[in-house]
Amino acid sequence: MTPIKECLINKSTKTNPIWLMRQAGRYLPEFREIRKENPDFIKLCLNPNLAKDITLQPIKRFDFDAAIIFSDILMVPYGMGQSVEFKKNFGPSLGSLELNKLQNVTKNDFTKNLSSVYKLLSSLKNSEDLENKDLIGFVGAPWTLLVYMINKTSPKNGLSGDFFKDEILINEVLDLLDKFIKTHIENQINAGATIIQIFDSWAGLIQNNFDKFLYNPTLSLVNYVKNLGVPVICFPRGISDYVKFSKIVKPSMINIDYDVDPGILTKSLDIPVQGGLDPKFLLSSKENLKKQVKKYLEIFKDHPYVFNLGHGILPETQVEMVYELVETVRSYK
Ligand code: CP3
């Protein structure tokens, strides 16, 4: 059994496996090298050969316990027919949301539009570099994808009151997302994903209707993944009550952000935990990094715990600090 599955399924506390969110990305010079030649981010995600190289870059360097496929949560709106672009120094920018167009997209069309993602997974499945490691597939949660599809870009400054004005549109998009996210999950598992992570990066923006926007849609996906016999990790970033979330949604493992107090959580959570460390500590000194990493390892020493961050690794992170982090986790006793 892989180290992460030992932790997830057997609830082992003997070792702390490690991987990092956004481990395949801009902090790696070898990623920046490829990115420079490939200005169109979506095209790069849909190039199975380059995407395979990028997925394996952090594995070759750090021997992480899992690879996460090089792709993006916005590939789902893309597969549904909404245009998606990544603009330099701006981030994602989505095109107009034409409901009647989206309603005519079949599961078959969707699968065809994203066939390169599934090809990527199949090509990684039997890779020697991934022996005894997990291959993580992922999706955005319905709420976070709804936010991008209606807001058209990152809601860095919050959502305007207008966001909720068309309830019929919201309900219809949520229904479509439930269908297509499940299709994307099933296709990734069939192609070789051994774990699914659900990113709800903007869950912290939900203020009302938690059942409608957070619990119900996530529970629907979690049950779907479990029925396919694969473990599922949830990351509802920024919510105030991880304990309540875990009790209602019951994922196989919960990824925490850096605003929650891990000491309180370990006493009240009865499922394995992943993550937590503020990625900014990778920008501080080695001594401080070690101290902060050990804090998490100490708190979770009797709890099944997969080491990870409380959000994606920052592009300005020095590779040397990542070696230090991995060494600290692996040598901890
Ligand atoms: O290494 C990995 O984790 C796998 C690949 C991965 C990417 N995006 C590649 C990427 C994963 C798992 C994601 C998830 C993702 N994408 C999330 C959820 C996690 C989170 O960070 O909250 C979200 C919200 C997105 C949407 C997205 N993609 C944004 C907002 C941006 C631009 C801002 C940013 O951080 O750059 C992206 C671009 C993106 N996705 C990059 C990478 C490596 C950078 C693209 C570049 O090179 O310019």
Side-chain angles (χ1 to χ4, degrees):
M1 200 179 274
T2 62
I4 296 182
K5 293 238 174 78
E6 278 291 349
C7 194
L8 256 169
I9 297 168
N10 287 352
K11 311 282 191 304
S12 166
T13 55
K14 279 194 208 108
T15 57
N16 297 119
I18 175 171
W19 68 279
L20 304 180
M21 292 191 279
R22 293 283 178 98
Q23 63 189 22
R26 284 164 296 182
Y27 73 105
L28 285 176
E30 57 270 37
F31 172 79
R32 294 196 297 268
E33 196 64 35
I34 295 181
R35 186 73 172 98
K36 209 168 58 194
E37 307 294 323
N38 295 273
D40 185 331
F41 183 75
I42 295 277
K43 264 202 191 144
L44 181 56
C45 288
L46 293 174
N47 179 327
N49 292 330
L50 288 178
K52 182 180 178 189
D53 290 346
I54 295 171
T55 302
L56 293 175
Q57 282 173 352
I59 305 300
K60 292 189 165 140
R61 262 191 194 264
F62 308 111
D63 192 31
F64 287 130
D65 292 295
I68 179 160
I69 55 162
F70 178 73
S71 183
D72 200 89
I73 61 166
L74 298 179
M75 296 314 283
V76 163
Y78 172 86
M80 290 164 72
Q82 188 176 16
S83 72
V84 180
E85 241 187 296
F86 287 86
K87 296 184 180 153
K88 209 173 162 115
N89 304 323
F90 178 78
S93 169
L94 285 77
S96 63
L97 180 59
E98 294 164 52
L99 196 51
N100 50 358
K101 207 176 119 196
L102 262 54
Q103 282 163 331
N104 284 324
V105 175
T106 64
K107 285 187 186 175
N108 230 337
D109 299 331
F110 176 87
T111 298
K112 252 194 216 144
N113 292 343
L114 297 186
S115 61
S116 305
V117 178
Y118 313 130
K119 241 190 178 159
L120 164 66
L121 275 154
S122 322
S123 77
L124 285 162
K125 191 177 162 186
N126 297 316
S127 159
E128 276 175 27
D129 297 292
L130 298 183
E131 220 186 295
N132 204 30
K133 297 182 190 300
D134 280 290
L135 178 55
I136 301 178
F138 65 88
V139 291
W143 163 256
T144 286
L145 292 184
L146 178 78
V147 164
Y148 279 108
M149 289 173 80
I150 292 183
N151 197 57
K152 313 286 196 310
T153 184
S154 292
K156 285 178 196 143
N157 306 315
L159 292 172
S160 72
D162 264 10
F163 180 85
F164 294 99
K165 77 172 189 288
D166 191 343
E167 208 183 329
I168 296 172
L169 177 75
I170 287 184
N171 292 343
E172 189 53 35
V173 175
L174 281 176
D175 276 351
L176 289 169
L177 280 170
D178 183 69
K179 175 170 89 179
F180 287 116
I181 294 172
K182 282 176 178 165
T183 305
H184 197 41
I185 288 173
E186 186 187 12
N187 289 339
Q188 290 184 75
I189 292 174
N190 287 341
T194 61
I195 294 179
I196 296 292
Q197 176 146 335
I198 302 174
F199 289 94
D200 208 349
S201 305
W202 297 106
L205 292 178
I206 304 173
Q207 284 167 356
N208 303 297
N209 291 323
F210 286 86
D211 284 337
K212 173 172 174 168
F213 294 123
L214 180 67
Y215 300 127
N216 296 343
T218 318
L219 183 60
S220 168
L221 297 183
V222 164
N223 287 339
Y224 185 78
V225 184
K226 285 183 181 168
N227 280 332
L228 294 172
V230 167
V232 52
I233 308 168
C234 280
F235 182 29
R237 185 170 75 92
I239 61 166
S240 55
D241 198 341
Y242 275 92
V243 176
K244 182 172 179 192
F245 179 92
S246 302
K247 290 213 163 100
I248 295 177
V249 177
K250 300 189 186 69
S252 319
M253 178 155 75
I254 182 98
N255 194 110
I256 57 174
D257 63 59
Y258 47 82
D259 284 329
V260 296
D261 183 333
I264 294 175
L265 274 192
T266 184
K267 294 192 189 82
S268 5
L269 275 179
D270 53 4
I271 57 172
V273 173
Q274 171 175 281
L277 183 84
D278 190 334
K280 285 202 191 72
F281 288 126
L282 283 155
L283 309 181
S284 70
S285 66
K286 285 187 179 167
E287 287 64 40
N288 190 39
L289 174 68
K290 271 196 218 162
K291 190 175 115 197
Q292 300 296 336
V293 169
K294 284 181 181 164
K295 185 181 106 182
Y296 279 91
L297 294 171
E298 188 61 29
I299 287 173
F300 289 110
K301 70 179 186 315
D302 298 318
H303 196 111
Y305 181 64
V306 173
F307 198 91
N308 204 321
L309 306 174
H311 199 195
I313 186 167
L314 296 162
E316 53 271 41
T317 304
Q318 298 292 314
V319 168
E320 219 189 303
M321 294 296 278
V322 183
Y323 283 113
E324 191 73 26
L325 166 70
V326 174
E327 172 58 23
T328 308
V329 174
R330 291 247 156 94
S331 62
Y332 182 80
K333 283 199 190 66

